[in-house]
């Protein structure tokens, strides 16, 4: 089908193109337009019926949006600007160069321009930056029949009509009504009789991560946003929150790999920016690793006498690092999902202690069999390595399990206490334990 | 407020408890009940009005649900079983012991029992296991007025009424109608006139990860599920998909830390299960790390002559591992979000090559200054270490960037090519490069 449309465009059979393309979902149309050359993209965009074109527009990438705005008439721009949902409009304006923004603002009314400015000033990642203003507002005195008539009239321009918001004359939020309740109730009742009072709400400056948690907990499809005086300033819908959830997860993935987090698409990010985001943590960790090197220096006499000890270092450091990363990942994720609280620290220690003894002993046993029976390593050395392994796994898992909780209690992000950091600490601990044990068991130093 | 209710329960003032508790959201009531002793939990649960009690029940933990079912009368059980949404019922039955399941099935009708069995047989993580059957079904010949009357009548028992499904006499899905469109359109039109034909749908056996992608792409709040003959078997709502998204992210976090993934809450998992999920990968990685040890053995003569070389090993291995983990994390996440495709492999290589040369040179420079000027290390050794560092960072980032893509092209999960695996490979490469360079520059071996 797609191939077919491509051909029709090549042949300039635009009537047929239009007929084919409007059968598609607007998200798919946007995806299709992205695959075209910019001039063809503009042509195809202008073929769309007005109601579809706005939806398609809000799903396009910024550079395509820009190309279209540059190419179309002022009247067409006005159509788009008037019909875009307010949150999509703000997202769009934020990404456009000044010349385009000017062109757009020309088509908006005085009060709308004021509102746009207000919205552009909400902190990134706040409720204010996520919300939209296209909601249905009701009065509590209305009968359900009147409410329904209002919804019929204004519903087409609203981001959602499935939750309606009841306000007093000062826009103070008094309650919410789901369209479901409205539909199934007797139409002679008043809004007040069926509304939920004290609805769960968020504040304009609340962080998006907290908002995502509210949605996840209560299974809402929309949530009211109020200012400090409890006046309704906007609503947030679930589809935007799904994006927030993925964004927050991406941030955690990045932080846990010792990078400055970003929302940006990897392929669209410049080499310099990528390097900048990575080098800081690598430097910090590199300098810390030099400390580990100085431990080896302190035990140089041990190593000189039994040089074979060096060959077990990677295995001990690697296993310790991996064991610690497992624990820290479980705890970081558990805290992100609010399954592990600060007060659970002793439960975590107890669990990690027992798990690490089990796991450490298993690994040590396997290792001993391999070293002593298969590789004929000296029994003293094999014993040193295997006992070290148990101690290292236990320490690694305790460090990995508790540092994220410690970070949280210090109001730091637990995600920084992930694999790279834990590994660096555990490397130092491993080598110290290893050489201390070796000195003792082999009678050196 | 919570404290207040606790006191009222202690004082057995159940009338007042009821009055206070029904002001809360059902999710919060469930959370509150979880904090009580089991016998008090049952008492409080029985105080709830019938319509609330079912919603509260579906938000309770399995052990509390079980305690309640064991304590209440057959009539009360029947009420719950009849009013639970089908997907909640299936989730509940799956977790209950046989005696409870028997008790529950006693209260369901023959055809419902058949349906329950069918649903229990859908593979975990499939659309079938996520969907529910409480949707509004319409006929295309209906006028919108008739459709609205139907919705009014049956709406209260449906999981969602905001999207309605149009089927022919064989239950074949013909289209969907949003309640919004239904409300704002002329009531004399027919359903056929306003329905979206060829709606986007999923199949009963589709994987939940794919379903989450469809929701994210199209911003739906519900999605129809059909069987191979295109007959509607159920619907999936966005709230369940939000849980799926978090679950899939948790799985990725676990896999990327070299653990068997799980949905289970950390604190609720037994020590033995935790150990079992972790030891396999630790063993595989430990055995691989032994190979790294044998590289050191091969260069034993170099190490014996210049024992100080050992002290830079942790820094080189650590930095290489961290550099590789950064790249693999970016690529794994990029693929999970469908921002990086198989065909982008050369773009990734080009990017990582340039980033790694920048980052590697920066780190090497810092290192050289520290070693040569601050620590007065021999210039030949300092040069060896710093050149090795650049090579190691470049190789680490290329390996980290490409292995996840290779895994995907082999139909493996890219998430296994994360930090632990990359680190193990990079450790071996680092040491090989290091000792080879040392032999050459220091003229040993």
């Amino acid at each position: 089908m797609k191939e077919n449309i491509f051909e029709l465009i090549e042949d300039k059979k635009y009537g047929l193109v239009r007929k084919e393309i409007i059968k598609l979902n607007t998200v798919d149309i946007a995806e299709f337009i992205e695959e075209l050359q910019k001039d063809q993209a503009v042509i195809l965009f202008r073929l769309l019926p007005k109601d579809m074109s706005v939806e398609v527009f809000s799903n396009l990438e910024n550079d395509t949006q820009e190309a279209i705005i540059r190419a179309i008439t002022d009247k067409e721009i006005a159509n788009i600007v008037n019909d875009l949902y307010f949150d999509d409009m703000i997202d769009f304006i934020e990404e456009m160069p000044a010349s385009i923004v000017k062109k757009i603002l020309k088509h908006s009314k005085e009060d709308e321009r004021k509102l746009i400015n207000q919205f552009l000033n909400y902190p990134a990642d706040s409720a204010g930056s996520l919300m939209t203003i296209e909601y249905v507002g009701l009065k509590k005195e209305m009968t359900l029949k009147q409410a329904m008539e209002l919804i019929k009239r204004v519903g087409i321009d609203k981001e959602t009509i499935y939750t309606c918001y009841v306000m007093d004359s000062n826009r103070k939020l008094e309650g919410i009504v789901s369209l479901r309740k409205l539909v199934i109730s007797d139409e002679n009742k008043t809004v007040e009789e069926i509304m939920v009072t004290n609805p769960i709400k968020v504040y304009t400056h609340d962080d998006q991560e907290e908002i995502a948690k509210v949605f996840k907990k209560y299974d809402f499809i929309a949530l009211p946003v109020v200012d400090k005086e409890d006046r309704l300033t906007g609503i947030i819908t679930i589809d935007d929150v799904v994006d927030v959830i993925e964004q927050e997860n991406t941030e955690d993935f990045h932080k846990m790999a010792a990078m400055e987090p970003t929302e940006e698409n990897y392929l669209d990010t410049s080499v310099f920016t990528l390097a900048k985001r990575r080098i800081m943590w690598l430097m910090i960790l590199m300098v810390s690793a030099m400390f580990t090197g100085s431990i080896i220096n302190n035990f140089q006499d041990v190593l000189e006498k039994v040089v074979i000890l060096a060959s077990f270092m990677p295995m001990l450091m690697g296993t310790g690092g991996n064991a610690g990363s497992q624990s820290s990942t479980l705890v970081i994720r558990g805290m992100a999902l609010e399954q592990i609280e600060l007060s659970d620290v002793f439960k975590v220690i107890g669990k990690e202690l027992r798990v690490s003894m089990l796991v450490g002993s298993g690994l040590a046993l396997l290792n001993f069999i391999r070293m002593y029976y298969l590789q004929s390593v000296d029994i003293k050395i094999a014993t040193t390595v295997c006992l070290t392994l148990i101690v290292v796994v236990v320490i690694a898992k305790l460090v990995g399990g508790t540092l994220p909780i410690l970070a949280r209690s210090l109001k730091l992000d637990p995600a920084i206490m992930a694999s790279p950091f834990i590994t660096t600490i555990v490397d130092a601990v491993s080598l110290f334990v290893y050489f201390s044990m070796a000195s003792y068991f082999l009678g050196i130093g």
Side-chain angles (χ1 to χ4, degrees), chain A:
Chain A
M1 162 140 194
K2 235 174 174 180
E3 291 310 309
N4 189 12
I5 303 180
F6 273 125
E7 265 177 42
L8 291 173
I9 294 175
E10 286 297 323
D11 299 347
K12 299 198 164 52
K13 291 183 178 155
Y14 296 126
L16 289 173
V17 171
R18 184 188 154 105
K19 218 174 122 185
E20 284 300 313
I21 200 104
I22 59 171
K23 289 183 198 160
L24 296 176
N25 180 295
T26 49
V27 177
D28 292 316
I29 299 177
E31 209 174 73
F32 182 78
I33 288 181
E34 291 295 343
E35 290 177 38
L36 299 173
Q37 303 293 325
K38 287 282 171 285
D39 52 336
Q40 288 188 327
V42 174
I43 294 174
L44 190 67
F45 180 79
R46 297 178 94 166
L47 290 176
L48 297 172
K50 185 173 163 287
D51 57 326
M52 276 184 129
S53 69
V54 177
E55 270 183 61
V56 170
F57 187 82
S58 66
N59 278 300
L60 290 170
E61 306 280 338
N62 292 323
D63 54 338
T64 314
Q65 288 180 330
E66 193 179 330
I68 287 171
I69 292 289
R70 287 195 192 282
I72 63 181
T73 66
D74 276 15
K75 188 159 167 277
E76 286 170 309
I77 295 180
N79 277 340
I80 292 177
V81 170
N82 288 332
D83 280 6
L84 266 183
Y85 286 130
F86 205 75
D87 54 344
D88 292 331
M89 166 116 98
I90 298 294
D91 291 346
F92 165 59
I93 289 179
E94 276 176 334
E95 298 301 329
M96 289 297 115
S99 62
I100 297 279
V101 174
K102 231 172 116 184
K103 236 180 165 175
I104 295 160
L105 291 182
K106 214 173 68 188
H107 297 287
S108 53
K109 286 160 229 123
E110 172 63 26
D111 54 341
E112 205 179 42
R113 260 201 297 274
K114 251 170 111 177
L115 207 53
I116 288 173
N117 268 319
Q118 183 191 330
F119 269 63
L120 287 173
N121 280 323
Y122 288 124
D125 300 350
S126 70
S129 76
L130 275 180
M131 70 188 181
T132 193
I133 52 171
E134 287 91 356
Y135 52 83
V136 178
L138 302 176
K139 297 276 164 223
K140 63 181 174 190
E141 305 79 26
M142 286 178 170
T143 63
L144 300 192
K145 191 162 184 240
Q146 289 170 322
M148 206 59 194
E149 274 157 14
L150 177 74
I151 294 171
K152 263 182 207 287
R153 216 164 52 237
V154 302
I156 194 163
D157 295 325
K158 303 303 178 188
E159 173 118 19
T160 184
I161 61 168
Y162 300 142
T163 314
C164 303
Y165 300 88
V166 188
M167 289 166 288
D168 69 11
S169 52
N170 295 316
R171 309 195 58 74
K172 229 188 106 173
L173 182 66
E174 297 182 306
I176 60 170
V177 176
S178 72
L179 184 60
R180 180 208 296 246
K181 191 104 179 238
L182 220 156
V183 163
I184 60 177
S185 302
D186 175 358
E187 64 174 20
N188 295 315
K189 281 190 175 171
T190 64
V191 167
E192 189 171 13
E193 287 175 85
I194 66 160
M195 74 183 185
V196 175
T197 50
N198 296 315
I200 287 158
K201 63 203 169 197
V202 294
Y203 292 88
T204 320
H205 284 79
D206 281 357
D207 187 78
Q208 62 176 12
E209 197 168 356
E210 297 309 312
I211 294 159
K213 280 179 189 162
V214 175
F215 271 95
K216 281 190 273 181
K217 180 172 174 189
Y218 295 103
D219 290 348
F220 290 139
I221 55 173
L223 198 58
V225 184
V226 297
D227 63 14
K228 280 180 205 129
E229 280 82 41
D230 254 358
R231 285 177 309 215
L232 191 64
T233 54
I235 61 164
I236 297 175
T237 49
I238 179 80
D239 51 312
D240 296 319
V241 173
V242 168
D243 299 337
V244 167
I245 292 173
E246 284 297 25
Q247 200 177 308
E248 294 289 334
N249 278 311
T250 300
E251 275 188 21
D252 276 355
F253 276 109
H254 289 181
K255 279 189 210 149
M256 288 171 72
M259 285 177 286
E260 280 177 54
T262 170
E263 296 170 31
E264 234 172 311
N265 192 319
Y266 168 82
L267 291 175
D268 296 342
T269 315
S270 76
V271 167
F272 186 73
T273 310
L274 283 173
K276 209 182 62 184
R277 287 209 195 99
R278 300 186 196 178
I279 200 165
M280 253 302 278
W281 273 104
L282 285 182
M283 279 192 178
I284 294 171
L285 294 166
M286 183 179 80
V287 172
S288 319
M290 288 171 186
F291 171 75
T292 312
S294 69
I295 292 177
I296 300 185
N297 272 342
N298 286 339
F299 286 102
Q300 206 159 324
D301 50 332
V302 180
L303 196 57
E304 260 167 4
K305 279 184 196 136
V306 194
V307 123
I308 198 184
L309 286 177
S311 70
F312 301 108
M313 281 165 44
M315 184 273 288
L316 288 170
M317 292 194 292
T319 306
N322 291 332
S325 304
Q326 290 180 332
S327 307
S328 75
T329 301
L330 277 174
V331 171
I332 292 169
R333 186 65 182 157
M335 286 201 286
L337 296 178
E338 304 200 302
Q339 293 166 347
I340 299 178
E341 308 288 327
L342 282 186
S343 56
D344 294 322
V345 63
F346 295 109
K347 282 191 215 159
V348 171
I349 291 176
K351 236 171 187 153
E352 287 307 307
L353 197 63
R354 283 174 291 161
V355 172
S356 59
M357 297 216 276
L358 262 177
V359 170
S361 310
L363 294 175
L365 186 67
L366 177 72
N367 216 5
F368 190 84
I369 293 171
R370 214 193 78 114
M371 286 175 77
Y372 185 68
Y373 292 102
L374 302 184
Q375 294 188 310
S376 314
V377 174
D378 176 79
I379 189 157
K380 276 187 185 171
I381 293 178
T383 309
T384 303
V385 170
C386 293
L387 285 181
T388 303
L389 190 59
I390 298 179
V391 175
V392 164
V393 170
V394 170
I395 294 176
K397 289 210 166 287
L398 289 179
V399 168
T402 51
L403 279 196
I405 303 182
L406 181 70
R408 165 69 56 88
S409 77
L410 299 172
K411 313 265 178 223
L412 296 170
D413 189 334
I416 58 171
M417 297 298 184
S419 176
F421 195 77
I422 300 290
T423 305
T424 306
I425 294 179
V426 169
D427 277 355
V429 173
S430 308
L431 291 184
F432 182 78
V433 172
Y434 184 38
F435 286 114
S436 304
M437 285 223 180
S439 313
Y440 181 79
F441 282 108
L442 308 178
I444 326 168

